[in-house]
Amino acid sequence: MISLHSVFSGPFRAASALRGARVFHPHGVLFRGVAELDSRWWPVPAPARVPVTARLSGAVGTPDGVPDILGLALRFSLDDGPWDILLATLHVPTRAVLLPARGWSTARYGSLMAYRTNVDLAPRWIFAFPEGDQPSSTSVLELARHGVPLLFSLHVASARGPLVPAGRVTLESAVPASDEAQPSFDPVLNHPAAVELWPRWLVPFRRDAYRGSRSGRGASDASARSGFLDTAGT
């Protein structure tokens, strides 16, 4: 029997094939830097410094001055493999309502889905907020010209609790790479064994959406674990 979430992957596969690009956030800029994790919530001994690859992107690529849903994809390079955390601009109090931002400098990124660890079963959302100077527009080209470093504060929070500071990310260098050559990020495939996405029932749908998007361009699951791709993922 074909499952509902498997059928769900079909539109993403078709859309990716039609566009010849990622279904969401097709245009972005790639960076490398470091994450300083100073909360005991993280599944690594704190404080910790881990290498990070990041991609900042626009969901639609709206004209300058028009709000867009901006994305911040983070890949923490941990000892036991990559951890991909995908963040998008959202309404922070509700945790799960996407909200277009007017610019990179005012974006408020959140994980939409929560995380649970093997030592903290309470669902926690991850947030990142820009610090310092960043472009006031949503233009990806302006972001690429802006230069580094780019700074973000990290926070974790329960469904109704306050945001708790959890570290920061410093993007130290831009990586010249076309949209097609930039790596795929997949939070379902790439996460530590001690961490799971929540709610669990939504995970198969999200997994098949990413898989469908990659399949539409002939990319495999293995491509989501590599550094640079011939065809990028969702």
Side-chain angles (χ1 to χ4, degrees), residues 11-17 19 21-26 59 209 212-213 217 233-234:
F12 288 88
R13 182 167 53 250
S16 177
R19 297 186 67 176
R22 306 167 193 251
V23 175
F24 301 120
H25 298 267
S213 179
R217 296 178 309 285
T234 299

Side-chain angles (χ1 to χ4, degrees), residues 15-68:
S16 177
L18 182 64
R19 297 186 67 176
R22 306 167 193 251
V23 175
F24 301 120
H25 298 267
H27 305 298
V29 185
L30 197 66
F31 298 91
R32 287 203 178 100
V34 63
E36 299 170 84
L37 308 178
D38 57 15
S39 166
R40 288 185 295 177
W41 180 84
W42 301 105
V44 293
R49 287 174 56 90
V50 300
V52 63
T53 301
R55 184 177 186 265
L56 284 158
S57 58
V60 178
T62 57
D64 197 11
V66 178
D68 194 1

Side-chain angles (χ1 to χ4, degrees), residues 55-104:
R55 184 177 186 265
L56 284 158
S57 58
V60 178
T62 57
D64 197 11
V66 178
D68 194 1
I69 293 174
L70 303 180
L72 172 60
L74 299 172
R75 173 169 291 174
F76 294 162
S77 297
L78 306 180
D79 290 342
D80 57 351
W83 183 10
D84 289 354
I85 301 172
L86 268 59
L87 311 175
T89 52
L90 49 67
H91 182 244
V92 172
T94 60
R95 311 297 196 233
V97 177
L98 292 170
L99 183 67
R102 293 186 176 276
W104 302 101

